[in-house]
Amino acid sequence: MAIAPFKLAISLGNWDSGHSISSKGASHTCCNPLISRNPWIYCFRSSRSLSIQKRVGVFCEAVTESKGAGAGLAANFGQDRLSKVPISNIRNFCIIAHIDHGKSTLADKLLQLTGTVDKRDMKEQFLDNMDLERERGITIKLQAARMRYVMDNEPYCLNLIDTPGHVDFSYEVSRSLAACEGALLVVDASQGVEAQTLANVYLALENNLEIIPVLNKIDLPGAESNRVIQEIEEIIGLDCRGAIQCSAKEGVGITEILDAIVTRIPPPQDTAAMPFRALIFDSYYDPYRGVIVYFRVTDGTIRKGDRIYFMASKKEYYADEIGVLSPGQMQVDKLYAGEVGYLAASIRSVADARVGDTITHFGRRADKSLPGYEEATPMVFCGLFPVDADQFGELRDALEKLQLNDAALNFEPETSSAMGFGFRCGFLGLLHMEIVQVECSNPSALSDPGKRKSIEEPYVKIEMITPKDYIGSLMELAQDRRGLFKEMKFITENRASIVYELPLAEMVGDFFDQLKSKSKGYASMEYSFVGYRESELIKLDIQINGELVEPLATIVHRDKAYAVGRALTQKLKELIPRHMFKVPIQACIGAKVIASESLSAIRKDVLSKCYGGDITRKKKLLRKQAEGKKRMKSIGRVEVPQEAFMAVLRLEKEVI
Amino acid sequence: MDPGTFDASSLSSFLSLGVNRVSLGVQAFQNELLKVCGRAHCLDHVRESLEIIKSSGLENWSLDLISSLPNQSLEMWEESLRAAIESGAPHLSVYDLQVEEGTKFGAWYKPGQSPLPSEEESAMFYRKAWELLSKAGYEHYEISSYCKRGMECKHNMGYWLNKPYYGFGLGAASYVGGIRFTRSRRMKDYARYVELLESERTREKEIEGLERGGSESENKGMVGVTVIGGLERGEERESESGRLVGRESVWEGVRESESEVVMDAIMLSLRMGRGLEVAGFRGRFGEEILERVCRALRPYVESGHVLPLDEDRRTLSAVDFVRFCESRMQNKSVEYIRLSDPDGFLLSNELISVAFASLSSS
């Protein structure tokens, strides 16, 4: 690897003046070759960065020819990464990989090798930010990192844009892909192609990204590079002649990858002269600065302090602060076409800075926004009610706070006769919902079965990739959930892809967990929404003491109605306290009762004795009885405890 | 007194001392049941003691019966009831068996499960008692108490009308000056207390303490203020509520808060056939509380578990009660509110706790 003959002097302490060079006289030989081509090059001091605490004054020293060599120097160059390079030297790329195939480890290595992150500052898997992510080992929130890499004496600016791997976030993935020109396709050399790999590769190909296949984990004994290469070529149809073999963990092949990024991924188009347009690919809420927006500049230039305009949300702001992520936030004065960065503009909520939106100048607006913007459409809904009605305000505040950082979460107020005031929340999918950690209930808004002609429910297409040993049980699983077999093919001798269509309702819940458990974890799955189909769904009503309890109603498939009805009525009988009269509990379809339980009336509830010393004790008993009453909701004459509602909803989730 | 523990001469000795009422702990008229409840007496003893009492000329006496005993049948219960009636007892205390934790019965038996009767059977026993005893001319004046005209137990009425009283003995309960207190459960402390009381100064202090209700510590919440009836200055003592340091006598109690007193009034008055006396209740606790209680009990007036009565103790209708409530209890139609017999009494816990629930604002 050729290393440019620089020497960098790094000094601690403030360096007050921005040192800019014009093409006129350069005291900075390091930048010399670039100056003649481009007027925008200058070194300037690094600003405070979130993660790197010390102030580092960076400047390029006049250099004498000296033969430096070794990766150590390359690491030093990393400090230089705020320097501008010509557009032709920018590479914007992302890493596509299935879960656990080593994307984060590879990203870490790239950061390290380019000196972007000091070994000391290295927290394992630097890109994973949220605690939940760490727990589950998955990436949810995007991050980006600007790296500086020198090859053949040329400095390059490599922008790594991280992508979420989970199927629920395909829109966010697609927008971050749109911010790139290329992608590293990372495949575990012992595992081979997985469902998620496929889904995201297709997305990348759709976005015309240059894909560099990378086989990771070649250090492992089970690695079969040739087989996997064959898989990739066959299944994806990608030319693997340039495939790079690496072991991110061991640090093997990393430089090859960096070189390949430079040589094979095209630079962004030079549209710096056009009206400013930037694609938002992520944002998050910072309590002190408002929403921080991550974007890729597609055309034009943005300067700090510019008045900007968001084309989809139609809001305008002043870009108080702009900078790059490397990987922490580092302020700059300008960003131009091809670059990736962030801005802070005292934006109130992420809903105002939506992924996929186009930023342009308020004054000189671009004609057209960047393509591909979509409003995130929730697919899974649930009702969220505070157990204590007094906490409605707190719940709303909590949801609003969540929404600050999650544009895909939407919610609106909802009233339920039994549950009081609450919210109906929409999520992109199950993982999304789990992240927000709520309980789910199926919405019940079906009309009278008599009047309805037909009912439709959403269907999804799932593709399961599994070793051949588990084909049988997975097919059984899908069929159990009202799945329609579509096709099966063998990807390799030992692995098959099975495609089913099944109702979303059957997938919500534990389908994924079951898939994993039935295949000992080896199978993987992707799903996509394929529209509404007619279905035999009916509304199951619950009546307590002859009164319809709407919040407990649920939609079930006709075949399951009896079992569900029985389970629900039994559960209610357990949980509703006895009353002074008999309480019939029924499950019905329309007017027809399909399951019924009866809660017997209390016959005797009396304290025989109540003399002097007893009085305090008996009073306490009765007071306790009274407290119990206060926590009830009235359904006509019947007092139903809040716990009963919760338990029934939980049961519905399990049984249905 | 228990059958078999006294004879004619000991009874006459008691009477000569001034005892004017005897309560006989018969419990049952079947030997097998007496054995089951661990009684030391048998049916013969019962008959004997009844004889002794009747021949003593004592006119004011009572007899205890327990229903819902293990393996007790409805026939046996009826038999006991008839025998009790036949004995001519002027007063009967009829108790539904309460199984308490920490007792032998608590360890051996579970309410509602064999050999104890089911809840339904238990309720039937209660109703049977009411049926037979009412027919025999007894007045059901309290949940567990029946008497012939004018023979209400004054002692118990003291409790039920929430009158003040002194109790003496280990762990005895007293209710004086709005403070409910319990005497020491241990002989040593009790003896010390008596010694202290014998000194004049202590006695004065005790009375003062009771009158002032001075407190060393405060109990938060509904229970009221804990009052410590002092130890000798500087003396320390362990009590249930912690370490006590203070003044002269040795007892501790609770000065009831207003809300406690309200609950006393509701609970105790509804346990009586007399019921809650509206005017007095309103006068003592105010209109708002009365309104809450009435509102809470309204559905049960409609179901017949609660009866509104006029000044002549005639039962009013549910409609009358509604009107009464709507007039903000101003029209003087309803003078008493009582639980119906036997239905209301049988479910008195539910009804009283409903009334309790209405008291706190929520």
Side-chain angles (χ1 to χ4, degrees):
Chain A
M1 177 188 106
I3 294 166
F6 296 19
K7 197 161 74 173
L8 273 185
I10 297 167
S11 71
L12 291 165
N14 282 326
W15 190 48
D16 288 313
S17 51
H19 205 105
S20 89
I21 314 158
S22 65
S23 43
K24 286 191 285 241
S27 46
H28 290 240
T29 350
C30 61
C31 315
N32 223 347
L34 310 167
I35 289 171
S36 50
R37 280 209 294 278
N38 218 302
W40 293 297
I41 311 312
Y42 53 102
C43 304
F44 57 120
R45 65 176 177 138
S46 64
S47 57
R48 264 170 293 121
S49 90
L50 289 181
S51 51
I52 299 170
Q53 297 303 317
K54 42 185 200 242
R55 276 177 198 252
V56 179
V58 177
F59 54 99
C60 303
E61 225 189 354
V63 116
T64 50
E65 286 285 312
S66 67
K67 301 254 164 38
L73 265 186
N76 282 338
F77 298 155
Q79 305 292 359
D80 216 2
R81 57 197 181 274
L82 295 183
S83 5
K84 299 293 192 190
V85 302
I87 286 187
S88 53
N89 284 19
I90 297 179
R91 303 287 182 269
N92 297 321
F93 71 102
C94 59
I95 304 178
I96 295 172
H98 189 75
I99 295 175
D100 286 347
H101 278 204
K103 177 174 73 160
S104 292
T105 321
L106 177 58
D108 287 348
K109 278 292 181 292
L110 293 173
L111 288 175
Q112 258 186 290
L113 212 61
T114 53
T116 315
V117 178
D118 205 301
K119 237 199 170 105
R120 279 172 293 156
D121 289 326
M122 196 83 209
K123 259 193 283 198
E124 227 177 272
Q125 323 253 292
F126 208 98
L127 290 180
D128 290 343
N129 227 324
M130 279 164 47
D131 288 334
L132 175 60
E133 292 182 2
R134 260 183 220 284
E135 237 174 63
R136 300 200 35 176
I138 53 179
T139 322
I140 301 159
K141 271 299 183 187
L142 303 181
Q143 292 288 304
R146 176 188 176 110
M147 305 178 273
R148 179 176 163 100
Y149 184 61
V150 178
M151 196 180 96
D152 297 334
N153 278 352
E154 288 275 320
Y156 292 91
C157 168
L158 308 184
N159 290 314
L160 164 61
I161 296 173
D162 202 10
T163 57
H166 199 274
V167 53
D168 281 359
F169 297 93
S170 56
Y171 174 65
E172 296 192 340
V173 172
S174 82
R175 291 308 83 208
S176 52
L177 289 180
C180 306
E181 274 80 37
L184 299 178
L185 172 62
V186 175
V187 181
D188 183 327
S190 54
Q191 300 283 337
V193 173
E194 297 284 3
Q196 219 162 39
T197 325
L198 286 181
N200 288 348
V201 167
Y202 295 143
L203 261 181
L205 288 170
E206 272 169 47
N207 277 280
N208 291 319
L209 264 55
E210 178 65 35
I211 303 183
I212 302 174
V214 171
L215 266 68
N216 192 18
K217 305 199 190 182
I218 52 170
D219 56 306
L220 289 184
E224 292 177 290
S225 310
N226 289 327
R227 188 205 93 211
V228 174
I229 287 178
Q230 217 182 6
E231 254 183 43
I232 298 176
E233 291 192 329
E234 277 174 19
I235 305 170
I236 305 176
L238 199 63
D239 187 343
C240 285
R241 272 176 297 181
I244 301 174
Q245 308 209 18
C246 80
S247 164
K249 196 170 80 167
E250 304 296 321
V252 173
I254 312 297
T255 3
E256 275 93 337
I257 293 175
L258 286 167
D259 288 349
I261 293 172
V262 169
T263 52
R264 287 150 63 172
I265 294 180
Q269 295 207 312
D270 186 352
T271 50
M274 294 176 56
F276 170 62
R277 281 197 310 177
L279 175 72
I280 300 179
F281 62 83
D282 192 22
S283 60
Y284 74 91
Y285 181 75
D286 178 307
Y288 299 106
R289 301 187 286 158
V291 176
I292 309 295
V293 182
Y294 293 169
F295 58 90
R296 146 78 194 270
V297 184
T298 318
D299 308 317
T301 310
I302 179 173
R303 286 175 182 73
K304 175 171 159 168
D306 277 358
R307 194 169 177 198
I308 53 178
Y309 176 72
F310 288 14
M311 295 178 80
S313 64
K314 301 200 179 9
K315 302 244 167 141
E316 50 172 280
Y317 302 97
Y318 285 95
D320 301 325
E321 180 189 330
I322 63 174
V324 298
L325 300 149
S326 193
Q329 293 176 2
M330 299 169 108
Q331 282 195 53
V332 302
D333 286 340
K334 274 209 297 224
L335 287 166
Y336 56 85
E339 293 198 278
V340 171
Y342 75 90
L343 65 84
S346 306
I347 300 169
R348 257 296 268 96
S349 99
V350 294
D352 298 331
R354 294 177 223 161
V355 170
D357 198 353
T358 307
I359 314 175
T360 186
H361 276 134
F362 184 75
R364 187 187 169 207
R365 287 194 204 176
D367 289 332
K368 284 210 292 203
S369 58
L370 293 163
Y373 173 73
E374 265 175 38
E375 294 273 351
T377 329
M379 282 233 284
V380 174
F381 294 87
C382 82
L384 195 58
F385 296 88
V387 172
D388 188 340
D390 290 338
Q391 295 182 308
F392 177 81
E394 283 172 55
L395 176 60
R396 186 199 47 228
D397 288 343
L399 284 171
E400 277 176 5
K401 240 195 197 134
L402 279 172
Q403 203 179 42
L404 287 175
N405 253 324
D406 188 346
L409 168 67
N410 66 32
F411 63 93
E412 46 190 51
E414 186 184 19
T415 321
S416 152
S417 56
M419 316 271 261
F421 293 100
F423 296 95
R424 174 128 306 226
C425 306
F427 303 94
L428 289 182
L430 307 171
L431 180 63
H432 189 199
M433 192 166 71
E434 195 180 323
I435 289 165
V436 182
Q437 280 181 35
V438 292
E439 292 203 77
C440 179
S441 78
N442 287 328
S444 61
L446 291 189
S447 60
D448 190 349
K451 298 192 200 136
R452 230 182 323 108
K453 288 229 181 77
S454 72
I455 241 283
E456 290 185 343
E457 61 172 324
Y459 266 71
V460 291
K461 180 178 96 173
I462 61 165
E463 178 178 14
M464 305 181 277
I465 297 187
T466 172
K468 66 176 183 200
D469 292 338
Y470 309 107
I471 293 176
S473 41
L474 290 188
M475 285 178 74
E476 228 180 85
L477 172 65
Q479 266 150 352
D480 217 24
R481 306 290 178 104
R482 299 194 278 139
L484 299 158
F485 177 77
K486 294 311 274 187
E487 79 169 317
M488 181 175 90
K489 60 176 189 271
F490 276 89
I491 314 179
T492 69
E493 206 181 287
N494 284 313
R495 287 205 300 145
S497 146
I498 316 171
V499 179
Y500 268 83
E501 282 179 357
L502 68 156
L504 176 63
E506 294 293 341
M507 227 205 69
V508 166
D510 68 346
F511 188 86
F512 187 73
D513 289 339
Q514 285 292 311
L515 175 113
K516 282 295 186 188
S517 108
K518 285 189 195 298
S519 65
K520 303 220 200 318
Y522 285 107
S524 62
M525 182 187 105
E526 274 290 320
Y527 74 90
S528 56
F529 177 63
V530 292
Y532 286 85
R533 305 278 168 84
E534 225 184 274
S535 175
E536 290 244 31
L537 291 180
I538 45 134
K539 183 182 181 208
L540 186 66
D541 280 318
I542 298 289
Q543 280 192 26
I544 297 180
N545 201 30
E547 254 186 66
L548 217 54
V549 188
E550 201 51 55
L552 294 178
T554 178
I555 299 175
V556 285
H557 191 262
R558 175 179 302 282
D559 296 343
K560 299 205 174 164
Y562 284 88
V564 172
R566 233 172 301 136
L568 292 181
T569 49
Q570 274 166 9
K571 196 70 182 175
L572 285 167
K573 180 175 170 176
E574 247 177 74
L575 296 172
I576 299 178
R578 290 163 70 209
H579 284 59
M580 280 163 53
F581 45 88
K582 187 166 83 168
V583 179
I585 303 168
Q586 293 154 329
C588 1
I589 303 176
K592 180 169 167 215
V593 175
I594 61 163
S596 175
E597 294 288 337
S598 182
L599 192 60
S600 64
I602 312 174
R603 291 274 169 242
K604 178 177 77 94
D605 188 9
V606 64
L607 292 165
S608 325
K609 295 199 184 191
C610 196
Y611 299 122
D614 294 326
I615 292 181
T616 314
R617 211 171 8 118
K618 306 285 157 128
K619 208 166 38 177
K620 203 160 146 190
L621 277 171
L622 291 175
R623 208 165 60 216
K624 210 168 140 210
Q625 208 166 331
E627 289 299 317
K629 291 190 182 307
K630 292 193 210 152
R631 288 191 309 267
M632 306 271 173
K633 292 273 178 206
S634 311
I635 307 283
R637 291 170 66 206
V638 180
E639 301 290 312
V640 180
Q642 201 66 271
E643 298 85 67
F645 285 101
M646 295 298 139
V648 167
L649 293 176
R650 228 173 281 134
L651 190 72
E652 285 176 1
K653 185 174 160 195
E654 287 164 28
V655 169
I656 298 168
Chain B
M1 293 206 290
D2 276 350
T5 64
F6 64 99
D7 56 13
S9 101
S10 48
L11 178 59
S12 100
S13 308
F14 282 128
L15 294 179
S16 67
L17 279 177
V19 169
N20 66 351
R21 188 177 184 273
V22 164
S23 171
L24 194 63
V26 174
Q27 321 307 354
F29 280 85
Q30 293 83 20
N31 275 323
E32 59 263 50
L33 290 182
L34 287 171
K35 217 152 91 203
V36 148
C37 17
R39 299 290 152 165
H41 62 267
C42 66
L43 197 51
D44 287 335
H45 287 129
V46 172
R47 289 203 196 96
E48 269 168 35
S49 49
L50 282 171
E51 257 310 304
I52 295 171
I53 290 177
K54 280 197 271 204
S55 23
S56 73
L58 180 63
E59 287 185 356
N60 190 354
W61 58 281
S62 172
L63 184 159
D64 281 0
L65 287 178
I66 306 183
S67 66
S68 304
L69 287 168
N71 293 316
Q72 185 180 36
S73 68
L74 194 59
E75 288 77 40
M76 289 186 205
W77 179 237
E78 259 188 76
E79 193 182 34
S80 289
L81 287 167
R82 290 188 204 284
I85 294 169
E86 220 182 278
S87 74
H91 185 287
L92 293 169
S93 293
V94 182
Y95 299 117
D96 174 54
L97 179 72
Q98 310 264 252
V99 178
E100 304 275 17
E101 255 182 58
T103 64
K104 286 228 164 70
F105 268 35
W108 296 338
Y109 302 121
K110 209 162 166 223
Q113 276 185 27
S114 181
L116 295 182
S118 67
E119 203 189 72
E120 179 107 35
E121 287 171 319
S122 237
M124 250 192 328
F125 285 151
Y126 191 87
R127 288 176 192 280
K128 190 48 99 169
W130 167 77
E131 184 197 318
L132 293 183
L133 296 176
S134 319
K135 266 200 215 129
Y138 285 90
E139 200 189 309
H140 194 185
Y141 75 96
E142 190 262 354
I143 282 183
S144 303
S145 311
Y146 293 83
C147 68
K148 294 233 167 102
R149 195 177 197 83
M151 300 307 284
E152 288 87 349
C153 174
K154 283 195 190 144
H155 174 115
N156 292 342
M157 291 294 283
Y159 297 133
W160 300 331
L161 296 175
N162 218 18
K163 297 233 160 82
Y165 58 91
Y166 278 106
F168 296 96
L170 298 180
S174 309
Y175 181 44
V176 179
I179 304 176
R180 291 195 191 278
F181 62 95
T182 310
R183 300 200 189 271
S184 178
R185 290 187 172 85
R186 288 190 296 210
M187 193 50 137
K188 209 169 111 189
D189 292 334
Y190 201 97
R192 171 117 181 86
Y193 163 61
V194 171
E195 269 173 45
L196 291 170
L197 209 54
E198 283 175 329
S199 89
E200 182 97 21
R201 211 185 69 198
T202 313
R203 199 156 46 237
E204 278 170 12
K205 281 279 174 194
E206 164 134 334
I207 294 170
E208 190 191 327
L210 285 171
E211 283 171 359
R212 271 195 303 112
S215 62
E216 299 280 302
S217 72
E218 238 193 69
N219 235 343
K220 295 195 181 79
M222 302 249 285
V223 182
V225 174
T226 305
V227 182
I228 289 111
L231 300 171
E232 200 157 79
R233 207 168 293 282
E235 193 175 340
E236 291 189 0
R237 190 172 79 86
E238 287 292 339
S239 82
E240 280 174 301
S241 46
R243 202 152 191 86
L244 301 180
V245 181
R247 305 194 296 267
E248 270 102 2
S249 64
V250 177
W251 51 263
E252 71 190 73
V254 174
R255 171 182 282 293
E256 295 206 312
S257 62
E258 184 73 352
S259 50
E260 290 280 307
V261 181
V262 176
M263 287 192 276
D264 285 348
I266 295 173
M267 177 174 80
L268 297 170
S269 63
L270 290 181
R271 287 178 62 90
M272 303 260 284
R274 186 165 181 269
L276 187 146
E277 200 239 310
V278 173
F281 191 85
R282 183 206 276 115
R284 174 68 182 80
F285 301 112
E287 188 121 323
E288 205 213 313
I289 301 223
L290 175 63
E291 186 173 354
R292 284 182 189 224
V293 173
C294 287
R295 215 182 324 131
L297 293 177
R298 196 165 126 174
Y300 302 100
V301 174
E302 285 163 25
S303 65
H305 290 93
V306 174
L307 302 175
L309 308 175
D310 67 8
E311 59 189 354
D312 297 321
R313 299 196 58 89
R314 277 179 309 200
T315 311
L316 297 168
S317 71
V319 176
D320 291 327
F321 189 73
V322 171
R323 237 181 265 136
F324 171 71
C325 291
E326 274 164 11
S327 77
R328 316 222 53 238
M329 285 82 57
Q330 294 308 332
N331 80 22
K332 299 284 200 293
S333 54
V334 176
E335 296 256 333
Y336 300 94
I337 299 172
R338 65 157 292 173
L339 301 185
S340 66
D341 193 5
D343 294 322
F345 273 161
L346 261 178
L347 297 169
S348 52
N349 284 356
E350 262 296 295
L351 296 163
I352 293 172
S353 55
V354 162
F356 277 12
S358 74
L359 293 177
S360 48
S361 44
S362 59

